[in-house]
Amino acid sequence: MTGKIEHASHDEAPVAPPTDFAARANVTEQQYRDMYARSMHDPEGFWGDTARELHWHAPWDRVLDWQSPHAQWFVGGRTNIAYNALDRQVQRGLGDRRAIVWEGENGDIRTYTYAELLEQVKRAANALLNLGVVSGDRVTLYLPMIPEAAIAMLACARIGATHSVVFGGFSVSALADRIQNAQSRVLITADASYRRGTLVPLKGNADAAAAQAPVLERMLVVCRADCDAPMQEGRDTYWHDALAAASSDHDAAPLDSEHPLFVLYTSGSTGKPKGVVHTTGGYMVGTYLTTRTVFDLKEDDLYWCTADVGWITGHSYIVYGPLLNGASVLMYEGAPNHPDWARFWDITERHGVTVLYTAPTAIRSFMRAGDDFPARHDLSSLRLLGSVGEPINPEAWRWYHRVIGGGRCPVVDTWWQTETGSIMLTTLPGAFPAKPGTAGLPMFGVDPAIVTREGDDVPDGEGGLLVIRKPWPSMLRTVYGDDERYVRTYWGEIPGVYFAGDGARRDADGYITVMGRVDDVLNVSGHRLGTSEIESALVGHASVAEAAVVGRPDEVKGEGVVAFVLLQNGHTADPAELRRHVSRVIGALARPDAIYIADALPKTRSGKIMRRFLRQVAAGQEISGDTSTLEDPSVLDRLAATPAQ
Ligand code: 6R9
C-alpha cells in the first residue's frame, strides 16, 4: 500500500460541539480565553494556582526559574506524583472508585479500585526497596499492557526511583542498550504477553538483554501467562512472591519538584535514541491539567487510551494524568484485530467506555476493515473521541466522528511529543468547533509560533517550523547523561526557542495544523523512528556496505520504511534476511516495507546523500528538482529502474 494520504486543507468545514456537550463542558470558550490569557501574562500565578489543587509535602519558593534553556518549576517544593495519583484520591473518598479496569487479550478481566491500587503500589514500592533500590536509581520496565506496568511505574515514583519503560515490541539489543545507557540495575519484566493469540516471550528477550547489559543485577518477573520462564537463581524473583513478602505500609517519599520521574527513550534525526528526562512537579501539574480539560473528564466516565505504556502517551494519558484526576481507566493488553477488527468496539460496548483516545493509524485500519465491525456493537456510551501520534487526515477524522462517534462526539486532535510531556495543541472539545485535520489552539501556557529556519515569523496560512517560545511545566529537562545534546537538539537549531522537528501552519482563526516531521524522523503507525537508526542497523549486517532510509506515504501506517542498500563486494541480496536483521536490532516496528538494492546513492560532490530524490523514488514519483549538485546524476535513472523488493 503506497496510497497518498490526503492532508488537511484550509477549507475543511468546522464541526461544532453538540450544544448539550458544550453546556456541560469542563472548559467553555470564555474560560479558555481567560485561562489562556492569564497563563501568558501571569504564568507564575496561573501555574501556582493549578499546582495548589494537588498535594505538596512542602511548598515551593518560586514557581519558575528559567535559565534558558534550563527550566525548574515549583523550585524548592516537595511532592510525590504517586501520592497525588493514589493516596490523595483515597483521602478524597474515592477509595472504592475503579482506578483500572483491565482486559487481557485472552479475555481475562481484572479491576482495581483506588484503594486496591494503592495497596499494590505500596507493596511494590517496598519490594523495590527490599531489592536495594534507592531514590535516584533507574529501574527499567519491559512489560506488556497489564496493570503491573502502571503499578511498577507508580511504585518507582513513590520511592523516587526513575523509571525507564521500554516498549515490549523492542528487540533484545534495543532493550540492552537502554538498560545500559540508563545504568539500570533492576529490570521488571513479565514471563510473556498475549499478542494476536500467541505468546510473546518477554522474559526470553530480557534474559538475552541481560547477557548484553552487564550493569543489570536483578529482575522482577510478573507472571502474566504460564509462569514457566526459566528463572536465574539469585538474580530473578517473581513479582508476586516479592509483593507477598513486602509490607503494605509505605509513606510516599517527599521528593524535590525537580526529582527525575522518568527517562523515556525516543528517536531523533541523528545518533542513538535519546533518553528524554521528565521531572516530578511540572510533569505532574501539566498532565493533571491537560487530562481534565482536554478529555473533559467527569466522575462517571470510563476513559480508554489505547496507547502502550511504552510510549509517552501511555505514561501521560493512561497512567499519570487520568489517575491524578481520579478517573476510571480502561487498559487493554492486546491487538485491535484480535480475534477480529471489532475488538475495540466489543470492549467499548461491554465496559461502557465514554472517552476513547487512539491513533490515526488505528482509525485508518478500522476504516479499511469496514463499517460492519463497529456496526455490530452499541457505541452509544461514547461521548468524546481523541487522536494522537501523527497528523490525522480529514477523511479518517470524519469517519471516526461519523462511524465511531455517531456524529455526536467531539474529536480532539492532540499534538504533542515525548519531549513536551503533555498535550500542547488541541481544540478543547466543548469550547470551540473542531477543524478536521487541524490540531487547533495552544493549551494553557503554550506559546507557539510558526517560523523560518532563521526564526522569523511566517505569515498565517504559510507553512513553517513549529516552535515554542516559553518554557512550560511538563517540558523535558535534559537528555539523560547528555545535557549538551539537549541544548543543541532542542534549543540550538533555532536560537532561543524550542524546536523538535515538526512543520506547521496557522490559519486566520489561530488554529495550527501540524503537517509532520521536517527532519529525518519517520512516523510509522504513530511510532517515531530515526532514519539513521535503521541505517546503522542495516550497515551492521555483513552484506551491507551502505544504506539510506527514507519514508514513503502509506495509507494505513502514515509512513512506511524504505531502504536503499549498497551491498559489500561478493555478497548477494537477501531482502528477507535484511528485514529480519532490522527486527533483531531494533524491533519489528522498524522493518523496511521496501528495499532497493542499488549500485550507488545520489550524493552531492561533498558526499551528502540527497534524500529528497530517494523519497521521490520510494514514492514512485518522477524525479524532480535540481539534480545539478549531484556528483553523478545518472544514479537517479538507474535507481528509478531498480525494482523494490
Ligand atoms: C505524543 C506523541 C511526536 C511526533 C510529533 C509529530 C507527531 C503527534 C500529532 C502529531 C500531527 C498530531 N504527532 N501527535 N502530528 N498531529 N495530533 O506522539 O509523541 O511519539 O514523541 O511523537 O508525533 O510529528 O513530533 P512522540
Side-chain angles (χ1 to χ4, degrees):
M1 279 170 304
T2 56
K4 179 108 186 91
I5 294 182
E6 156 216 15
H7 280 286
S9 62
H10 295 277
D11 44 20
E12 283 300 323
V15 180
T19 39
D20 53 337
F21 189 102
R24 293 188 61 225
N26 287 357
V27 183
T28 63
E29 175 175 351
Q30 194 53 50
Q31 283 168 329
Y32 167 84
R33 293 198 186 286
D34 294 345
M35 288 165 75
Y36 184 76
R38 182 168 183 227
S39 76
M40 285 294 111
H41 67 70
D42 176 21
E44 305 213 3
F46 177 85
W47 288 114
D49 284 354
T50 307
R52 267 186 287 275
E53 294 174 21
L54 296 162
H55 175 85
W56 292 79
H57 293 77
W60 54 88
D61 309 313
R62 278 184 74 183
V63 171
L64 171 64
D65 181 353
W66 178 227
Q67 312 281 337
S68 180
H70 293 105
Q72 294 187 61
W73 285 86
F74 312 107
V75 187
R78 293 198 160 262
T79 188
N80 188 293
I81 192 169
Y83 180 96
N84 274 290
L86 300 173
D87 307 55
R88 180 172 150 271
Q89 310 302 9
V90 172
Q91 282 160 26
R92 289 203 296 156
L94 306 184
D96 293 335
R97 182 181 286 181
R98 294 177 305 173
I100 295 179
V101 178
W102 173 78
E103 179 160 318
E105 195 190 68
N106 64 346
D108 289 351
I109 290 180
R110 273 194 267 157
T111 299
Y112 294 82
T113 63
Y114 272 91
E116 289 164 347
L117 194 62
L118 175 57
E119 202 237 18
Q120 289 293 303
V121 169
K122 285 181 171 177
R123 283 187 188 277
N126 282 322
L128 289 172
L129 293 172
N130 292 344
L131 285 183
V133 176
V134 297
S135 181
D137 284 358
R138 275 81 48 215
V139 173
T140 300
L141 277 55
Y142 184 64
L143 284 166
M145 283 291 293
I146 53 178
E148 286 82 356
I151 293 168
M153 289 164 74
L154 290 158
C156 289
R158 210 173 163 83
I159 64 172
T162 301
H163 57 70
S164 166
V165 184
V166 178
F167 172 56
F170 275 123
S171 68
V172 167
S173 54
L175 172 61
D177 279 354
R178 285 158 175 75
I179 292 171
Q180 211 48 38
N181 183 277
Q183 289 290 299
S184 175
R185 287 172 38 244
V186 174
L187 174 68
I188 306 178
T189 188
D191 56 345
S193 166
Y194 287 93
R195 191 77 190 173
R196 293 199 179 87
T198 59
L199 283 177
V200 181
L202 288 177
K203 174 66 161 64
N205 291 354
D207 286 339
Q212 297 172 26
V215 68
L216 196 74
E217 291 169 13
R218 302 298 304 265
M219 250 193 243
L220 278 176
V221 184
V222 178
C223 174
R224 160 65 187 119
D226 41 25
C227 273
D228 72 358
M231 299 288 278
Q232 185 179 308
E233 186 77 39
R235 185 193 68 184
D236 304 348
T237 311
Y238 272 117
W239 167 271
H240 54 263
D241 292 333
L243 263 68
S247 155
S248 61
D249 280 337
H250 182 268
D251 289 333
L255 301 171
D256 189 275
S257 177
E258 286 298 333
H259 187 82
L261 173 63
F262 64 86
V263 178
L264 184 57
Y265 288 85
T266 192
S267 298
S269 47
T270 55
K272 290 214 169 213
K274 316 174 269 249
V276 165
V277 176
H278 282 285
T279 59
T280 301
Y283 176 84
M284 173 173 81
V285 175
T287 54
Y288 164 73
L289 180 67
T290 49
T291 305
R292 188 182 72 210
T293 53
V294 177
F295 300 109
D296 192 54
L297 285 180
K298 306 282 195 294
E299 258 174 40
D300 49 359
D301 274 318
L302 180 62
Y303 162 94
W304 181 18
C305 166
T306 70
D308 192 284
V309 285
W311 308 113
I312 190 68
T313 306
H315 284 56
S316 301
Y317 297 110
I318 295 177
V319 180
Y320 290 113
L323 297 179
L324 286 166
N325 280 281
S328 297
V329 176
L330 189 120
M331 190 173 181
Y332 169 58
E333 174 186 40
N337 59 348
H338 187 83
D340 63 28
W341 284 106
R343 184 61 182 263
F344 275 21
W345 320 127
D346 174 50
I347 291 175
T348 299
E349 176 177 9
R350 267 187 295 110
H351 294 278
V353 172
T354 59
V355 179
L356 175 69
Y357 190 32
T358 192
T361 183
I363 297 165
R364 291 191 295 264
S365 302
F366 295 136
M367 262 172 87
R368 276 170 56 97
D371 295 9
D372 296 352
F373 292 105
R376 298 207 310 243
H377 293 279
D378 176 1
L379 303 180
S380 61
S381 58
L382 290 171
R383 64 179 198 88
L384 175 61
L385 303 174
S387 172
V388 62
E390 55 177 313
I392 181 167
N393 47 308
E395 190 193 359
W397 194 105
R398 285 189 296 262
W399 184 88
Y400 193 32
H401 182 254
R402 176 172 55 84
V403 177
I404 304 306
R408 78 185 173 277
C409 306
V411 175
V412 284
D413 173 6
T414 60
W415 176 83
W416 59 294
Q417 305 174 305
T418 304
E419 294 85 347
T420 70
S422 64
I423 294 168
M424 302 294 276
L425 302 175
T426 195
T427 306
L428 286 182
F432 296 96
K435 298 186 190 182
T438 291
L441 298 170
M443 283 305 296
F444 310 113
V446 175
D447 183 22
I450 318 285
V451 301
T452 63
R453 288 251 162 223
E454 290 68 47
D456 300 321
D457 281 330
V458 163
D460 282 351
E462 283 178 27
L465 307 175
L466 175 58
V467 300
I468 314 291
R469 294 180 291 202
K470 284 190 175 64
W472 63 101
S474 67
M475 65 187 256
L476 82 163
R477 298 300 195 261
T478 188
V479 170
Y480 190 77
D482 195 351
D483 191 57
E484 196 268 321
R485 191 170 176 197
Y486 162 75
V487 174
R488 181 168 33 94
T489 309
Y490 298 108
W491 299 86
E493 292 261 322
I494 304 174
V497 295
Y498 169 86
F499 172 59
D502 282 309
R505 67 178 132 69
R506 175 155 41 193
D507 71 14
D509 298 324
Y511 283 43
I512 294 174
T513 303
V514 179
M515 295 175 308
R517 306 286 306 191
V518 295
D519 55 6
D520 291 325
V521 173
L522 306 183
N523 192 324
V524 179
S525 298
H527 304 323
R528 268 167 74 167
L529 290 168
T531 53
S532 66
E533 270 174 84
I534 308 175
E535 287 162 4
S536 68
L538 285 165
V539 295
H541 190 271
S543 70
V544 177
E546 200 175 346
V549 168
V550 297
R552 72 170 179 202
D554 182 292
E555 249 175 46
V556 171
K557 300 199 285 189
E559 259 184 313
V561 177
V562 179
F564 293 83
V565 168
L566 264 58
L567 296 177
Q568 298 273 16
N569 277 342
H571 283 267
T572 46
D574 186 350
E577 161 59 14
L578 292 180
R579 286 189 173 87
R580 276 197 302 276
H581 176 73
V582 172
S583 294
R584 275 195 302 266
V585 176
I586 303 175
L589 73 178
R591 194 199 310 256
D593 295 289
I595 297 180
Y596 290 81
I597 307 295
D599 61 19
L601 296 172
K603 288 186 182 167
T604 60
R605 285 182 191 88
S606 59
K608 194 168 183 297
I609 297 173
M610 300 279 290
R611 285 161 201 283
R612 189 153 43 94
F613 297 123
L614 293 178
R615 279 192 284 269
Q616 293 170 353
V617 173
Q621 294 163 355
E622 291 284 310
I623 305 288
S624 63
D626 181 6
T627 58
S628 64
T629 53
L630 289 178
E631 164 146 54
D632 174 10
S634 76
V635 169
L636 292 175
D637 300 328
R638 295 204 298 282
L639 271 182
T642 305
Q645 314 199 32

